[in-house]
Amino acid sequence: MAVIEVRDLHKRYGDTHAVDGVSFEVREGEVYALLGANGAGKSTTVEILEGHRSATSGEVRVLGADPHEGSRAFRDRIGIVLQSSGVENEFTVREAIELYGGAYRRRRSLDEVIGLVGLEEKVDARIGSLSGGQRRRVDLALGIVGTPELLFLDEPTTGFDPAARRRSWDLVESLGAGGTTVLLTTHYLDEAEHLADRVGVLSRGRLIAEGTPSELINRVSGTIVSFMLPDTVEVSDAATEFAGILGTNLRLAGRLVEATIDRPTHAVHQLTRWALDADVELDSLTVKRASLEDVYLQLAGDDADSDDADASMQVES
Ligand code: ATP
């Protein structure tokens, strides 16, 4: 069952076409990540789904309802972590959670929420005295206090230290495993790769790619091989030298050679044979599967390429 259904969504702010014909679905229990550069239209899309903004045109159903109507029953079933929350600095963490929890029928206990977000030591601290990452954890706490069926997370781990990020990933994973549907926006590609069942990439208000992280990685990039050019090889000769082995998808940065290749066994065999024949060492030789970040940079890193990407990068799901 689709928890979120978006069909040909448009949102204009004057001349700005912030969302330009976006369609996607998020299924029950799925963690779906929306990625895209600053200004790509992620927040606008999410705010329309939350009922905080109206669409210019298109069809949007969230938990079977029109979010813009924003009924009490609808609000009771969703949780929202905005990019910046407006919790009063004077409240303590305990007071904020109790106050927000009071609005929900299926509220979690204070202890459970505090434990889930890891704020045990700050339960009686005033919000104003917390660090940026701790405040973000309070935002997360307020998003989950109502045991939502659908949780919106807009850049939830910005400002978190690495341990806190891992902890919140565990939290999102356990919510997902417990059947909560999650719509996530993030600029951390490792976060999306780790958490998301499916990813949609927005560029200039359009969905230019969609699929599981693995589908996108396999479809778009393949394997990346990189090494430092030996001193005995002129940089200017390198492009020709290695193009025959690694193909034309070759990048040079100083003495660093990097190539995206489709047949790693074949290419690495040829490369190391060349190095042995030439009696040179390929320093820092690395062969790795492309990450979602590599894919993202290829797709949306340069928004000017988005029209080309549009034609070739759609992944069936
Ligand atoms: P970020 O990663 O920076 O949060 P985003 O992908 O969430 O970006 P949006 O905030 O949805 O992007 O913005 C999409 C476009 O709409 C941008 O060009 C932005 O300037 C414009 N925009 C957003 N809100 C408004 C508004 N209230 N009035 C006018 N233009 C707006």
Side-chain angles (χ1 to χ4, degrees):
M1 187 195 105
V3 169
I4 295 176
E5 294 172 83
V6 179
R7 295 270 167 276
D8 199 23
L9 179 66
H10 290 259
K11 177 68 183 182
R12 288 193 189 82
Y13 299 106
D15 288 342
T16 307
H17 214 146
V19 180
D20 187 7
V22 165
S23 301
F24 65 98
E25 280 187 6
V26 182
R27 302 167 197 138
E28 191 173 351
E30 200 173 34
V31 178
Y32 189 100
L34 270 182
L35 307 178
N38 291 136
K42 304 179 297 296
S43 294
T44 302
T45 303
V46 172
E47 285 165 11
I48 291 168
L49 298 175
E50 292 165 349
H52 288 158
R53 264 182 212 286
S54 58
T56 303
S57 66
E59 235 182 274
V60 173
R61 306 294 291 174
V62 178
L63 292 165
D66 175 355
H68 200 53
E69 286 174 8
S71 71
R72 174 114 181 21
F74 172 73
R75 301 255 142 242
D76 205 48
R77 297 170 68 192
I78 65 168
I80 299 179
V81 177
L82 297 170
Q83 271 187 35
S84 57
S85 74
V87 194
E88 296 283 338
N89 282 339
E90 287 68 33
F91 286 136
T92 64
V93 173
R94 176 195 303 276
E95 286 165 350
I97 292 172
E98 282 174 347
L99 183 72
Y100 277 68
Y104 293 96
R105 274 186 305 114
R106 297 194 306 152
R107 61 178 162 270
R108 288 189 159 95
S109 73
L110 176 76
D111 287 347
E112 185 186 355
V113 175
I114 289 289
L116 283 169
V117 300
L119 275 173
E120 291 88 346
E121 279 152 38
K122 294 289 176 186
V123 69
D124 288 312
R126 295 206 185 279
I127 306 280
S129 73
L130 300 179
S131 73
Q134 290 164 347
R135 285 177 84 119
R136 207 68 193 116
R137 289 196 232 177
V138 174
D139 295 338
L140 209 47
L142 303 182
I144 61 168
V145 67
T147 325
E149 289 166 56
L150 168 63
L151 180 61
F152 294 98
L153 295 175
D154 205 355
E155 299 182 23
T157 61
T158 301
F160 279 20
D161 64 46
R165 277 184 80 209
R166 285 284 167 177
R167 188 165 184 160
S168 71
W169 289 4
D170 290 346
L171 168 59
V172 174
E173 275 179 325
S174 68
L175 291 171
T180 311
T181 308
V182 178
L183 181 64
L184 165 78
T185 73
T186 182
H187 287 294
Y188 298 119
L189 281 299
D190 57 338
E191 182 162 288
E193 190 169 348
H194 187 92
L195 289 178
D197 297 309
R198 285 192 305 138
V199 168
V201 181
L202 279 177
S203 173
R204 299 181 181 191
R206 301 173 69 198
L207 197 70
I208 60 165
E210 188 185 51
T212 67
S214 290
E215 280 173 332
L216 291 178
I217 288 165
N218 291 337
R219 183 69 69 100
V220 177
S221 283
T223 303
I224 294 175
V225 59
S226 66
F227 55 91
M228 296 302 286
L229 204 58
D231 288 340
T232 47
V233 179
E234 284 293 320
V235 174
S236 54
D237 295 338
T240 340
E241 188 84 57
F242 294 113
I245 299 176
L246 299 171
T248 48
N249 201 349
L250 194 72
R251 297 170 291 281
L252 279 166
R255 302 198 75 78
L256 176 71
V257 181
E258 194 177 84
T260 307
I261 50 179
D262 293 331
R263 297 171 61 208
T265 313
H266 184 78
V268 172
H269 182 70
Q270 283 200 301
L271 181 66
T272 51
R273 185 164 60 199
W274 171 86
L276 289 173
D277 288 349
D279 197 23
V280 294
E281 187 58 48
L282 298 174
D283 282 334
S284 311
L285 174 64
T286 312
V287 182
K288 65 164 185 146
R289 185 171 179 252
S291 67
L292 191 58
E293 180 152 354
D294 298 314
V295 176
Y296 174 79
L297 290 174
Q298 223 167 305
L299 283 171
D302 180 357
D303 268 352
D305 289 335
S306 59
D307 286 344
D308 296 337
D310 196 21
S312 56
M313 300 308 177
Q314 190 71 32
V315 175
E316 297 297 327
S317 56

